[in-house]
Structure formats: C-alpha cells, structure tokens
Amino acid sequence: AEFKDKGSRFIAFAYPIRTLADVKKYLDPLKEEHHKARHWCYAYRLGVDGTQFRANDDGEPSGSAGRPILGQIDSVGVTDVLVVVVRYFGGTLLGVPGLIHAYKEATAQALAVAEVVEKNIEKTVWLKCEYPFLNEAI
C-alpha cells in the first residue's frame, strides 16, 4: 500500500513471518530495492500469545513510526506478521503527529488488502492409562 503526504511517499509491505530470521530475510532485500529511501521503519509480532514483538523507528523521532505500525498490527488482531514502511522524504517536515498519521495510515492500508490466514492450533497428544481410569482421562 502507498500513502502520500506533503511530497513524502510511505510504501507499506506486510509479510507473514515465523521466526526472527524472517525479519532480516524480508528487510534486507527491501533496503536494496529501495536504496534511495530515507527510512525503513518496521514492526512485528510473533507467536500464539504475541509476546515477541518489536517496533523500530529507523531514525525517525522516537515513537513516531514503529509504534504506530505495531498499533495497527494489534488493532487488526494478527500475529506472525511483519510490516515494513519505506519512506521517501518529500522535502517538507511532517512533524511527529504527521509522521504518526502517515505510518499508521500506510500500515492500515497494507493490512486491509492483505490476505489474513487463520490457523487452528492443533497438537496430537497420546495418553496412556489403564482401563479403570479411562473415564477420568477423557
């Protein structure tokens, strides 16, 4: 998804990830492809419980990029996802409120068009017990 504000372009990419290594796998090629961009801000949330996460501002003012991206991930309620927003500076400073809005909007647009895959958590458990205890085991 792409969002423009006062000449700056914010291009958002959403990727499914399973591990921290996947973050680098997607981030490095984006930096090469968009080598003229000024910032590659991102956020991710991993795991069933969502306790593994990170928000990176990549040189933008603290809390103006990574946190809004992570906030959008959380508002959609997804996990195992990485969102990277590439910013091309347009010559006009947006200020912190403007940056927050831009990163938030670009992320919201990317997640709105992304295909969300819902997966059931399943695990086969084998329980061995003697016949008299079968009712208690079930």
Side-chain angles (χ1 to χ4, degrees):
E2 184 174 336
F3 179 76
K4 293 181 181 179
D5 190 9
K6 297 181 183 174
S8 287
R9 287 177 55 209
F10 298 83
I11 307 168
F13 301 87
Y15 301 102
I17 59 172
R18 302 293 296 212
T19 65
L20 289 176
D22 290 343
V23 174
K24 191 168 178 62
K25 179 178 91 174
Y26 289 114
L27 190 58
D28 289 345
L30 269 180
K31 286 184 176 184
E32 285 183 31
E33 181 182 347
H34 296 276
H35 61 277
K36 291 185 180 181
R38 292 282 288 269
H39 302 281
W40 300 268
C41 304
Y42 66 91
Y44 63 81
R45 188 167 293 280
L46 279 171
V48 176
D49 55 4
T51 56
Q52 195 173 11
F53 64 93
R54 179 155 188 225
N56 185 307
D57 294 321
D58 191 44
E60 293 283 27
S62 181
S64 66
R67 286 181 192 244
I69 295 169
L70 185 60
Q72 288 302 301
I73 291 171
D74 292 343
S75 71
V76 175
V78 293
T79 187
D80 293 339
V81 65
L82 163 70
V83 176
V84 181
V85 180
V86 177
R87 179 186 181 195
Y88 286 91
F89 183 63
T92 304
L93 295 176
L94 301 177
V96 173
L99 289 172
I100 291 170
H101 173 72
Y103 282 104
K104 182 179 175 180
E105 186 62 31
T107 303
Q109 289 179 18
L111 292 174
V113 298
E115 178 185 351
V116 177
V117 177
E118 193 171 317
K119 295 184 178 181
N120 292 328
I121 301 170
E122 297 179 4
K123 187 173 186 177
T124 303
V125 178
W126 295 95
L127 180 65
K128 186 176 181 179
C129 67
E130 294 182 23
Y131 187 76
F133 301 107
L134 188 59
N135 284 337
E136 294 173 18
I138 296 175

